[in-house]
Amino acid sequence: MISPFTEEQQRFLRLLELPVPGRPAAGEGASSQPALPKAAAAAPSPRQEPAAAISAPAPTPLAAQPMVPAAPVRDAAAQGQRETVIAGLSWADLAAMVSGCQACPLGATRQHAVFGAGNPQGRWLFVGEAPGAEEDRRGEAFVGRAGQLLDAMLKAMGLERGRDVYIANVLKCRPPNNRDPLGPEVQECLPYLHRQIALIRPQIIVALGRFATQGLLQVDTPLNKLRGTVQHYGEIPVLVTYHPAYLLRNPIDKRRVWEDLKKARQIFSELNGALPEAR
């Protein structure tokens, strides 16, 4: 059987230790675990009423990592049924499902699930990796130091999160000690992000950091090779840049991020005409 995934997407699935369609798993005829859903969005639904980088953090020493219970085992049929249910939810019902989600072990270690922040009817969508400690405490996306820097970046673009922008994460729960997301956690959470995108119907997406970019686009391409290029989620243009938390540690790269954001503004302007003046 010919795989419907590109070679690049197949590499990403293997990176997450998920089966690649058309390739039997080692030692068996076929895996019962489903592949990560494709990034291309379904036909957009009508807008619904509204109801850190953490990129490449230093790994936690093995001895200091908390014991994490195993993720629930779900066969392909059950996983597909779950994704079908999520794909039909309204904004309010989706937020409620995320709030009570226990699909992976992060549900047992979080304080709050973080659905997102901003205007769900905004034309810009910024996607990060996962909540940090302050976001986990307050239940809102990008409210710590990285969030303050992101707000400054938005202001420089002539945007406001409560007016023009919605902000979401690939993961809705904070990984303990801000460790890297695990493949099964990404697999369980991605259907939520896909549904958010279908409901928001943004005209442009900005991916913040390596994990947000690779999770959203389902590739394993290094971040530096994707920066400066226009990627796509379905038909939506995606611009890739560094996570604000990375910039807090590496302020010298703020100039590169500003170049990325100017390119995003240019693409948006070509789609819509004049933008608010950048400051």
Side-chain angles (χ1 to χ4, degrees):
M1 178 174 122
I2 299 176
S3 173
F5 289 78
T6 65
E7 186 60 31
E8 190 172 57
Q9 289 173 324
Q10 292 181 42
R11 288 199 305 273
F12 182 67
L13 293 175
R14 290 194 292 272
L15 181 68
L16 296 184
E17 298 182 351
L18 299 175
V20 176
R23 293 190 182 179
E28 58 185 3
S31 171
S32 62
Q33 188 176 13
L36 201 64
K38 287 192 73 174
S45 302
R47 289 184 185 269
Q48 302 290 328
E49 70 280 0
I54 306 184
S55 184
T60 305
L62 184 61
Q65 292 182 358
M67 295 299 293
V68 179
V73 177
R74 188 182 293 114
D75 63 26
Q79 181 70 9
Q81 183 179 22
R82 174 177 181 265
E83 293 173 6
T84 298
V85 169
I86 292 173
L89 293 176
S90 69
W91 186 264
D93 289 341
L94 183 66
M97 185 172 182
V98 169
S99 178
C101 182
Q102 295 291 325
C104 82
L106 295 182
T109 59
R110 69 171 186 240
Q111 294 187 58
H112 295 95
V114 179
F115 189 63
N119 181 6
Q121 296 186 5
R123 293 184 291 175
W124 289 73
L125 175 65
F126 282 67
V127 177
E129 172 194 340
E134 186 65 15
E135 289 79 11
D136 181 49
R137 185 180 72 82
R138 294 172 53 178
E140 185 178 355
F142 280 88
V143 292
R145 291 181 61 217
Q148 294 171 9
L149 178 55
L150 178 59
D151 285 342
M153 292 159 58
L154 295 177
K155 184 177 180 180
M157 298 174 70
L159 304 173
E160 295 180 14
R161 73 160 70 189
R163 182 190 67 196
D164 310 290
V165 174
Y166 194 80
I167 305 167
N169 286 309
V170 171
L171 293 189
K172 307 306 184 189
C173 298
R174 180 197 182 205
N177 299 320
N178 286 350
R179 63 157 170 75
D180 292 349
L182 303 179
E185 296 163 356
V186 174
Q187 178 193 16
E188 295 294 341
C189 245
L190 270 177
Y192 295 140
L193 179 61
H194 293 324
R195 184 56 180 162
Q196 283 180 303
I197 295 174
L199 290 170
I200 295 169
R201 291 189 293 160
Q203 294 184 330
I204 191 167
I205 298 174
V206 178
L208 301 169
R210 175 166 62 97
F211 288 101
T213 299
Q214 294 179 342
L216 185 67
L217 299 178
Q218 298 180 23
V219 299
D220 60 356
T221 308
L223 181 74
N224 285 337
K225 289 189 176 181
L226 294 173
R227 282 190 56 251
T229 66
V230 180
Q231 303 297 311
H232 285 87
Y233 175 97
E235 296 182 355
I236 304 172
V238 177
L239 276 295
V240 175
T241 193
Y242 295 117
H243 194 287
Y246 168 86
L247 294 180
L248 292 174
R249 303 190 303 269
N250 301 274
I252 193 172
D253 283 328
K254 287 183 179 180
R255 182 187 308 175
R256 294 182 178 180
V257 170
W258 181 235
E259 293 302 317
D260 297 336
L261 297 180
K262 285 197 299 184
K263 187 174 185 66
R265 290 182 71 255
Q266 177 185 350
I267 298 299
F268 185 91
S269 180
E270 291 171 357
L271 293 172
N272 297 277
L275 268 174
E277 183 179 353
R279 297 167 185 160

